[in-house]
Amino acid sequence: VPGPSSFEIAPARRWRAEAAGLVPHVRADVAGNSYATLEGGGGPSIMLAGHIDEIGLIISHIDEQGYLSFDGIGGWDPQVFVGQRVTILGREGEVAGVVGKKAIHLMKPDEREKVSRIDDLWVDVGATSREEAERRVRIGDAGVLATGLVEFPNGRLVSRSLDNRIGAYVVLEALRLLRGAGAPTATVTAVATTREEIALGGGGARTSATAIAPHVALVVDVTHATDYPALDKRRHGDCRLGGGPVIARGASVSNVVFERLVEAAEA
């Protein structure tokens, strides 16, 4: 479900619909974060968070011929945009488009050696004028790549938005397992947070933690696998796809919580 940062309404609703089948206490806040709480027997308060937004694009200009200029939402490698089909979240529904650039046959030799920038690209929605395009798309409308999910062998998935719908899935699945194990001592709240891709301060994970004030917050996100060619493991670590979770360390990570997680993982 398309849901770039600040436009997460549709995936958040789908997450809450799933959560409502697990626990009675499901809600959303004004920032779009979604909460599902499993009440405990008076023990500590635990927050499990995974962000539900994804990187995307936002329309910044419509020219006289109906071509759309755009900027990225979140951290993009602009080379990925070239030739991609996109879905724009228009006022009347989804609008299909394709990202174009100057044909390589028309480029000068020095242009061919340069990497593409977002400024060099545009979105074609089939319009022949600005007026026609504006009937379907507004400046400020967001979009995502129009790609679906593909299942690979060995239990692997290929898809956009796995960062971090997979984390939002994991925290809800943890709540499902806790419910199946009987009444927990702790009160556990799973949260599908918003705006992580555009927030240096933590996005919805930080605002959710402020709202809940848990004793412990565990944030589940993706990391980089390093088991592919041309990557220096001495610099980036040895993280293998399918090798299990990675536990982060850093200034914002409690050493006490870290050690408890390591003990649980080893057990």
Side-chain angles (χ1 to χ4, degrees):
V1 181
S5 302
S6 296
F7 299 87
E8 306 96 341
I9 292 175
R13 283 176 175 166
R14 183 164 294 191
W15 189 91
R16 290 196 300 271
E18 181 71 16
L22 299 177
V23 294
H25 305 293
V26 178
R27 64 182 179 88
D29 66 17
V30 294
N33 304 305
S34 300
Y35 304 81
T37 301
L38 182 61
E39 297 289 348
S45 170
I46 308 295
M47 170 177 147
L48 308 175
H51 74 85
I52 205 165
D53 58 313
E54 60 180 307
I55 58 176
L57 56 92
I58 188 165
I59 304 305
S60 58
H61 178 72
I62 304 174
D63 73 11
E64 293 181 358
Q65 295 173 281
Y67 293 114
L68 316 179
S69 299
F70 66 95
D71 203 350
I73 296 176
W76 276 99
D77 175 357
Q79 312 314 304
V80 175
F81 278 126
V82 177
Q84 292 274 14
R85 297 180 184 184
V86 297
T87 299
I88 300 169
L89 306 179
R91 73 181 82 185
E92 302 295 337
E94 296 182 353
V95 177
V98 62
V99 178
K101 63 172 288 187
K102 183 191 292 187
I104 192 170
H105 315 79
L106 304 180
M107 290 182 180
K108 298 176 182 178
D110 63 319
E111 289 181 304
R112 297 184 184 188
E113 301 298 324
K114 296 178 181 179
V115 298
S116 296
R117 302 178 305 168
I118 290 180
D119 291 347
D120 302 323
L121 309 175
W122 61 84
V123 176
D124 184 347
V125 294
T128 57
S129 67
R130 175 184 289 144
E131 291 73 20
E132 183 184 353
E134 287 179 338
R135 286 196 289 268
R136 294 187 289 154
V137 179
R138 291 174 294 178
I139 293 173
D141 284 349
V144 297
L145 299 185
T147 59
L149 184 145
V150 179
E151 294 192 35
F152 268 18
N154 302 307
R156 298 180 178 186
L157 301 176
V158 178
S159 178
R160 47 155 265 272
S161 76
L162 287 179
D163 176 10
N164 185 34
R165 303 286 170 79
I166 197 71
Y169 164 79
V170 165
V171 298
L172 198 56
E173 183 66 10
L175 206 67
R176 187 195 310 274
L177 294 173
L178 283 170
R179 187 196 66 165
T185 301
T187 292
V188 182
T189 300
V191 190
T193 66
T194 60
R195 305 180 186 180
E196 190 273 349
E197 299 290 355
I198 59 173
L200 295 176
R206 187 173 295 277
T207 56
S208 298
T210 301
I212 297 174
H215 294 91
V216 175
L218 302 179
V219 180
V220 181
D221 207 332
V222 298
T223 190
H224 292 281
T226 61
D227 57 343
Y228 59 91
L231 211 62
D232 185 355
K233 292 183 174 58
R234 295 175 300 173
R235 180 177 179 184
H236 300 289
D238 189 5
C239 301
R240 303 182 181 187
L241 189 62
V246 174
I247 302 175
R249 299 202 79 169
S252 61
V253 177
S254 162
N255 285 324
V256 174
V257 174
F258 173 81
E259 295 298 347
R260 293 292 297 273
L261 288 171
V262 171
E263 289 174 11
E266 289 176 342

